[in-house]
Amino acid sequence: MTAENAILVGTYDGFTWIRCEGKGSFLTSPALKEYAESRIAAGERCLVIDLAACTGMDSTFMGTLAGLSARLSAPGGKVQVAEAGERNRRSLEDLGLDFLLEIDPPVAPWRGKVDEIRASLSPLQAPGLPGQLDRAKHVLEAHKVLSSASGENAKKFAGVVSLLEAEVASKRSEEG
């Protein structure tokens, strides 16, 4: 993470809070995913993604959120988005992710506690940057999730997915 782009986290009774400050991107989403998956493995069933300080999201970041939602929905869990803002909400809706994510739900266990929660968050200590192969696999997985969300997305991201598949295959052969 950088000073301009940070992920802050906290665990509470009934949910895990993840706040994106700055741009949600292919650079920040691997750490977010790793942390969220560790919480899911520990039994968490509700992830709250706080976008109030998020200046924008790329498709990899949004695909990561959709993937976490898909992973949590099978055991009856959910991903909720807090304070998406107009621009981020529109980005999520344009990709049909408003059907996978609960955006600004009117009833949630964190309602009325947002300021208190934000005051208690800690910076996510991100592991070192993933290698080129792991980064390419992460971006590919995120775009496959987006593609599976709708036929329109499948068309929109077909070229990107093809390029990423070729990149992953190339990097695998380089690593040998």
Side-chain angles (χ1 to χ4, degrees):
M1 302 303 132
T2 66
E4 304 87 45
N5 297 303
I7 302 290
L8 305 174
V9 297
T11 57
Y12 304 90
D13 188 26
F15 59 93
T16 293
W17 193 272
I18 303 172
R19 179 175 170 88
C20 175
E21 294 187 341
K23 185 164 172 73
S25 73
F26 71 98
L27 295 172
T28 56
S29 58
L32 179 147
K33 180 183 178 203
E34 184 176 310
Y35 177 75
E37 286 185 342
S38 74
R39 296 298 307 141
I40 293 168
E44 187 65 78
R45 292 293 162 253
C46 181
L47 299 176
V48 181
I49 310 299
D50 179 352
L51 297 179
C54 180
T55 57
M57 302 174 292
D58 69 13
S59 54
T60 300
F61 189 86
M62 290 187 285
T64 300
L65 297 183
L68 292 170
S69 180
R71 183 144 179 241
L72 269 173
S73 66
K78 59 192 166 234
V79 175
Q80 297 179 331
V81 176
E83 297 186 28
E86 187 179 326
R87 180 179 176 195
N88 289 329
R89 176 186 287 274
R90 195 170 46 250
S91 294
L92 293 167
E93 289 172 348
D94 285 350
L95 294 178
L97 302 184
D98 49 324
F99 294 104
L100 294 173
L101 307 167
E102 294 181 16
I103 302 174
D104 292 318
V107 177
W110 45 269
R111 286 279 177 205
K113 304 177 195 171
V114 174
D115 290 337
E116 176 186 330
I117 290 165
R118 287 180 179 148
S120 69
L121 297 174
S122 303
L124 179 59
Q125 298 305 314
L129 286 174
Q132 287 186 337
L133 176 60
D134 287 339
R135 188 170 36 245
K137 288 182 350 190
H138 171 75
V139 174
L140 173 61
E141 178 187 337
H143 285 84
K144 282 184 171 181
V145 169
L146 288 176
S147 294
S148 69
S150 73
E152 190 175 309
N153 284 359
K155 290 178 201 160
K156 190 181 294 186
F157 293 113
V160 174
V161 168
S162 293
L163 286 171
L164 290 167
E165 286 174 337
E167 182 180 346
V168 167
S170 170
K171 293 200 181 313
R172 277 194 178 128
S173 66
E174 286 172 15
E175 290 188 3

